[in-house]
Amino acid sequence: MKNLKAIGTIFASTAILTSMVAAPSASANFVNHQQQKVQITVASTETNVTKNELIQRVHKLFPNRFSFVSNNDFHNSSASFYTNDEELRYHLHFSKNINGKSVHGSFVFKGENLEIEQFSYQPVTEKDSMFPAKVSKDEARQIATNFMGTFANGEKYVIEPNAMNYYSPQLLTEPIRYSFTFAQTKNDIPISDKQINVTVQGNGEVVGFYRMSNSAEYPTFDDKNNIKDEQQALAQIKDNLAVDLQYLVSMDYRTEKPIVSLIYQPASTYAGVHALTGKWQTTNGLLTQLPAKTKIEKLATSPLPAKYNGITVEQAKEMAQKLLAIDSKQVKLVIQSVDEVEREGKKYLSVSYMYQSKSFGSGGSLEFNKQTGEITQYYNNKSNFVMETSEQEKPALKITKDQALESAIKYLKEYAPTYLHHYAKPVIEPYVEEHTDGFNFTFPRVVNGLLVSGDQVMVGIAADGSLSNLYIGYQNIDEWPAITAAVPVEDVEKKLREDLTVKLNYVQQTQKDKVVHYNLLYSPIFNTNSGAYIDATTGEWKNGIYSSEEVVVNHPTAQQELNYLINAKILEVKDVAKFNGNEKVSQGEALKVIIKSLTYFYEGLMGDRGEMKQSFTNISPDHPLYSVVERAVSMGIIKVDGAEFNTEAKITREELAVWYMHTLGLEPAAKHSEIYQLEFEDAADVNPKYIGYVAVANAMGILPVDKNRFNPNSEITYADLAVSTIRLAYELAEKRTNNYY
């Protein structure tokens, strides 16, 4: 390890700090096991690269791109390296105000040659970056390909048509961004863990770059000569095809509520077929026969009692000190604070801590369930701590996998007993941390006898058998889709065989120090997307929480706008075949579209004393539009000027004009009707108290007159709503000073 002083640790362990948001494929599962790493920050005094050198590198890589940023606007932070990749990373960023609006940029350079590893740019959002974007996806792909020519360093890359980029809904006020993945090749064959992701904004600017790499200095590769025929590998996979019926728990980031789906997932016991030998690539290496499916074995058949009936702040502090104790005369453990937090009606005590020596420090936090005293989140970074006076030697392996699993279950019984009856023993191999020789186990949730993807308990066991991390991913879900709703498994297996292809690629097999060997595999590709799964209730493919498959509806004047809102999941359409863009919109539906266009979260639902607010007597917390209505009230879009709010009533053009002016914050000007004069033919039909709102909405072009008539009492259609909401988004993007509404 480098003789550097660490001043802090940032944990990037995907297995501990995040939960799955989609059912991964076998190959994805296999690769993800090899990507876990921890980033360690080093003191700037330990590096010899200056801020000016980094700035010069930026201007060389991006000539004239950032000429508007002065040297004083740039800031460099401490360098860092990863526990499994000791090359230093140098961080540079800027933030600048241009005409009252903020722009941001950041860069990460790697190694002595300052090879760019990450780049992110957030320019001012302009209309040509928003819908409909200045450049199409095909044009953006060409821009990304041209950009790659600048950073390929003589290496050959190919674009990955099947990259797992799950669709995520975005606000109408956000710029459109296209993301493309390029894989480095060897012998003209893609390498699975050497990829570059390029993001192009709707105006044609490249605004994101990320180079995925590993620490191997001496990689070796299977020879591509004498590989088996592709059709032979395809037939082998088809003959051994198996599917699992599972539950998938994913998060709706608009509502912060979990979504439960019943899915069929291709069995994930292998990453592919070895192209040279025909053996199966598994986490245990190459096998002649596929490993048997692991039997589901619950950790407990019934709920276990909690050890505590509530804990105090002082008890949480004492428990944390015991867990975090470090055997070192040079390092001191400091408990910085204990804070009470609340989630989903439950209270937790979060303990912040720091390891400190004379010249450096590193910290984190752990969390206890206040009612039961159980640990829900814990990560101890002392094993990753770089000592000030000498290098830490890698500990000799003291524990076997079976012993580590036994210890993990023991710790769960001690620190999280009430959760155990929800979870089963691991069904996949643990991840072994190269830098510590510790084991990380995943305990899946089981409901109705089915595994649950997206809800798991994770436990890390250090080489000496101590608990290094624990994460409880339990989500309180009352309703689960009935297993009887699933289509027959035989139909799914038939569909999988019909839609199955294979891809030849290099996949990392072994790594020892700086030497990595890549096996040449035929990996299964289902439905041209390696991360796809089948909705068990419909038998149809889905590519994530939000399907990336485009929905198309027809309309003579608003087809483009309607399709954009529908595919962004802003406008919900249950039956596309029956959708009519000229259908009149209710106030509740219109409000939902506006809210989902402008904000991801339905915030502001709690009153001053923590109870659920209720602004209208007929919109209680169990009403389907409760969160929409209360969010609209908190944003000032609608006013509480009556006991009830009629969500079913149709909304007129003049009423929508009022909502839009409230949204834009223009009510102080629009409410003075006496200062406005309407000059269109049906001006007399406008409600006197709405004159100012209508005048401004017309002048701004959000709700313009048609043939010199405003038609104030005309009821809004879906087409009207789609077009006007997008115009509203343009105005909001122009008004805001940063990139959030």
Side-chain angles (χ1 to χ4, degrees):
M1 184 173 286
K2 298 181 184 297
N3 188 20
L4 297 168
K5 298 178 182 179
I7 61 172
T9 303
I10 305 169
F11 300 106
S13 172
T14 56
I16 294 163
L17 299 182
T18 62
S19 61
M20 296 154 58
V21 294
S25 68
S27 56
N29 219 10
F30 181 78
V31 173
N32 285 341
H33 266 267
Q34 305 182 48
Q35 294 176 347
Q36 191 179 29
K37 54 187 179 181
V38 178
Q39 187 182 48
I40 296 178
T41 305
V42 302
S44 57
T45 55
E46 300 292 323
T47 67
N48 56 9
V49 175
T50 67
K51 170 183 158 182
N52 284 337
E53 288 177 296
L54 297 177
I55 294 173
Q56 290 172 16
R57 185 66 173 147
V58 168
H59 290 314
K60 183 176 180 180
L61 291 171
F62 303 92
N64 302 319
R65 179 83 183 274
F66 299 106
S67 57
F68 65 92
V69 184
S70 71
N71 284 14
N72 290 334
D73 294 324
F74 281 105
H75 304 278
N76 62 324
S77 53
S78 301
S80 65
F81 63 92
Y82 292 106
T83 50
N84 62 346
D85 184 352
E86 296 175 6
E87 277 202 270
L88 283 179
R89 271 76 169 175
Y90 303 94
H91 306 262
L92 184 72
H93 64 274
F94 71 84
S95 181
K96 190 175 179 67
N97 190 285
I98 300 178
N99 297 325
K101 296 187 177 184
S102 298
V103 296
H104 310 278
S106 64
F107 311 82
V108 178
F109 300 98
K110 176 182 176 181
E112 295 180 358
N113 296 326
L114 299 181
E115 176 187 55
I116 190 164
E117 186 173 63
Q118 296 182 46
F119 155 62
S120 176
Y121 178 44
Q122 194 174 70
V124 173
T125 299
E126 298 177 345
K127 188 174 179 178
D128 59 0
S129 292
M130 300 167 63
F131 171 84
K134 178 181 178 181
V135 299
S136 66
K137 186 173 183 178
D138 288 340
E139 291 170 328
R141 183 184 292 106
Q142 187 58 53
I143 291 170
T145 302
N146 296 341
F147 180 83
M148 276 294 298
T150 308
F151 298 97
N153 293 332
E155 298 162 343
K156 185 176 180 181
Y157 285 81
V158 295
I159 196 163
E160 286 277 24
N162 302 320
M164 289 193 299
N165 292 321
Y166 292 106
Y167 176 78
S168 177
Q170 65 179 48
L171 306 181
L172 285 185
T173 53
E174 292 180 340
I176 288 177
R177 293 190 169 189
Y178 308 100
S179 181
F180 305 97
T181 299
F182 297 83
Q184 185 181 333
T185 64
K186 175 71 174 180
N187 302 322
D188 296 323
I189 299 169
I191 306 171
S192 63
D193 64 349
K194 287 184 175 290
Q195 298 181 338
I196 290 179
N197 183 269
V198 178
T199 302
V200 179
Q201 192 150 294
N203 63 351
E205 282 189 276
V206 175
V207 295
F209 174 93
Y210 175 74
R211 185 191 301 271
M212 174 183 168
S213 61
N214 57 41
S215 58
E217 294 180 0
Y218 311 104
T220 60
F221 296 84
D222 278 349
D223 192 332
K224 75 171 184 177
N225 296 319
N226 301 318
I227 62 175
K228 291 185 175 294
D229 180 69
E230 177 181 302
Q231 292 303 313
Q232 184 178 346
L234 181 61
Q236 180 178 333
I237 294 174
K238 285 185 176 181
D239 290 342
N240 291 273
L241 187 66
V243 295
D244 294 326
L245 184 62
Q246 300 179 354
Y247 286 113
L248 171 63
V249 176
S250 48
M251 183 64 68
D252 185 338
Y253 292 102
R254 295 188 184 279
T255 63
E256 292 189 293
K257 294 181 180 178
I259 302 172
V260 183
S261 305
L262 187 64
I263 70 168
Y264 278 114
Q265 171 71 17
S268 56
T269 56
Y270 65 94
V273 173
H274 191 216
L276 274 62
T277 65
K279 293 183 178 181
W280 299 98
Q281 176 75 71
T282 73
T283 52
N284 289 323
L286 294 173
L287 301 178
T288 303
Q289 292 185 331
L290 281 173
K293 186 176 180 180
T294 305
K295 181 182 178 181
I296 297 177
E297 186 178 349
K298 296 284 286 289
L299 290 173
T301 55
S302 59
L304 299 179
K307 289 190 175 182
Y308 299 92
N309 185 22
I311 61 170
T312 64
V313 169
E314 196 59 38
Q315 285 176 312
K317 185 177 179 179
E318 292 174 1
M319 294 165 68
Q321 287 174 326
K322 181 180 177 181
L323 281 164
L324 298 167
I326 184 168
D327 185 16
S328 171
K329 295 180 181 180
Q330 304 175 56
V331 180
K332 179 183 179 182
L333 170 65
V334 178
I335 302 298
Q336 297 176 305
S337 64
V338 181
D339 301 307
E340 183 175 301
V341 296
E342 185 171 343
R343 294 193 306 273
E344 297 181 349
K346 292 185 177 181
K347 294 181 179 180
Y348 301 87
L349 295 177
S350 178
V351 182
S352 298
Y353 69 91
M354 177 73 72
Y355 289 122
Q356 292 180 341
S357 74
K358 292 181 180 180
S359 60
F360 63 100
S362 176
S365 65
L366 63 155
E367 188 178 86
F368 298 93
N369 184 315
K370 187 178 180 181
Q371 182 179 348
T372 64
E374 294 172 292
I375 298 174
T376 53
Q377 294 181 33
Y378 165 65
Y379 192 102
N380 192 329
N381 64 344
K382 61 186 176 184
S383 63
N384 302 309
F385 213 60
V386 180
M387 306 304 292
E388 181 179 14
T389 57
S390 63
E391 293 181 81
Q392 279 186 322
E393 294 295 329
K394 179 179 175 181
L397 185 63
K398 298 179 181 179
I399 194 169
T400 66
K401 181 182 73 173
D402 290 341
Q403 290 171 333
L405 177 59
E406 184 179 344
S407 294
I409 295 174
K410 181 192 72 173
Y411 285 123
L412 284 175
K413 289 180 178 178
E414 180 178 358
Y415 293 120
T418 68
Y419 295 96
L420 297 195
H421 64 289
H422 295 293
Y423 295 89
K425 290 183 178 180
V427 295
I428 61 173
E429 289 294 310
Y431 170 75
V432 181
E433 293 183 350
E434 182 193 2
H435 64 290
T436 64
D437 282 330
F439 292 90
N440 283 292
F441 296 95
T442 299
F443 297 83
R445 186 171 179 178
V446 178
V447 175
N448 298 330
L450 301 183
L451 294 177
V452 180
S453 180
D455 188 330
Q456 55 273 320
V457 167
M458 298 176 180
V459 181
I461 302 297
D464 63 0
S466 63
L467 179 68
S468 60
N469 60 74
L470 191 156
Y471 172 76
I472 305 293
Y474 179 80
Q475 298 182 69
N476 188 21
I477 299 171
D478 296 324
E479 296 185 9
W480 299 81
I483 297 176
T484 54
V487 299
V489 65
E490 296 81 9
D491 294 349
V492 174
E493 290 176 344
K494 179 181 177 182
K495 187 177 187 66
L496 286 174
R497 290 189 178 93
E498 291 173 347
D499 297 339
L500 174 65
T501 58
V502 291
K503 172 188 175 182
L504 186 63
N505 61 150
Y506 280 111
V507 176
Q508 184 185 137
Q509 163 61 13
T510 59
Q511 177 168 350
K512 187 174 183 181
D513 298 323
K514 295 292 183 179
V515 180
V516 169
H517 181 72
Y518 288 90
N519 281 352
L520 195 53
L521 301 186
Y522 284 114
S523 299
I525 303 293
F526 296 98
N527 190 36
T528 68
N529 190 305
S530 56
Y533 60 86
I534 288 181
D535 184 326
T537 61
T538 65
E540 299 300 322
W541 285 106
K542 292 192 71 174
N543 295 328
I545 307 167
Y546 301 96
S547 175
S548 60
E549 297 177 1
E550 293 250 337
V551 172
V552 178
V553 298
N554 297 315
H555 192 273
T557 61
Q559 179 167 321
Q560 192 177 20
E561 292 85 352
L562 285 168
N563 281 301
Y564 184 75
L565 263 62
I566 292 170
N567 286 292
K569 307 302 177 183
I570 292 172
L571 176 57
E572 298 175 13
V573 176
K574 293 182 179 179
D575 190 343
V576 175
K578 296 180 180 179
F579 177 76
N580 178 8
N582 292 325
E583 183 181 342
K584 302 299 175 23
V585 183
S586 68
Q587 294 199 27
E589 185 67 19
L591 207 55
K592 183 193 289 188
V593 168
I594 295 171
I595 294 295
K596 293 175 72 172
S597 298
L598 307 181
T599 179
Y600 285 121
F601 305 107
Y602 300 154
E603 303 164 340
L605 306 184
M606 296 290 182
D608 294 335
R609 293 179 295 178
E611 71 273 13
M612 298 293 283
K613 292 194 301 184
Q614 185 171 341
S615 300
F616 300 98
T617 57
N618 65 321
I619 310 293
S620 61
D622 59 357
H623 191 284
L625 290 175
Y626 168 78
S627 59
V628 171
V629 171
E630 292 299 339
R631 183 69 175 120
V633 171
S634 68
M635 293 171 67
I637 297 175
I638 59 175
K639 306 295 182 182
V640 185
D641 52 9
E644 295 188 352
F645 179 77
N646 188 351
T647 60
E648 297 301 319
K650 304 305 180 185
I651 184 168
T652 65
R653 280 173 57 85
E654 64 178 10
E655 290 171 335
L656 189 60
V658 174
W659 286 7
Y660 284 166
M661 294 307 102
H662 287 171
T663 304
L664 289 167
L666 296 178
E667 182 184 17
K671 68 181 180 180
H672 296 289
S673 299
E674 68 279 3
I675 67 174
Y676 297 94
Q677 184 174 354
L678 303 180
E679 297 183 350
F680 36 79
E681 290 181 11
D682 54 354
D685 296 336
V686 177
N687 187 319
K689 65 180 181 179
Y690 295 156
I691 288 176
Y693 299 93
V694 168
V696 179
N698 173 58
M700 297 180 74
I702 299 177
L703 286 170
V705 298
D706 180 28
K707 297 178 181 178
N708 203 31
R709 295 183 64 84
F710 186 80
N711 301 311
N713 298 312
S714 175
E715 295 176 343
I716 292 291
T717 66
Y718 281 105
D720 297 331
L721 183 65
V723 172
S724 61
T725 304
I726 289 171
R727 291 171 179 163
L728 174 70
Y730 293 156
E731 295 297 329
L732 283 169
E734 182 65 28
K735 283 171 61 67
R736 65 187 177 187
T737 58
N738 54 43
N739 285 287
Y740 300 96
Y741 174 70

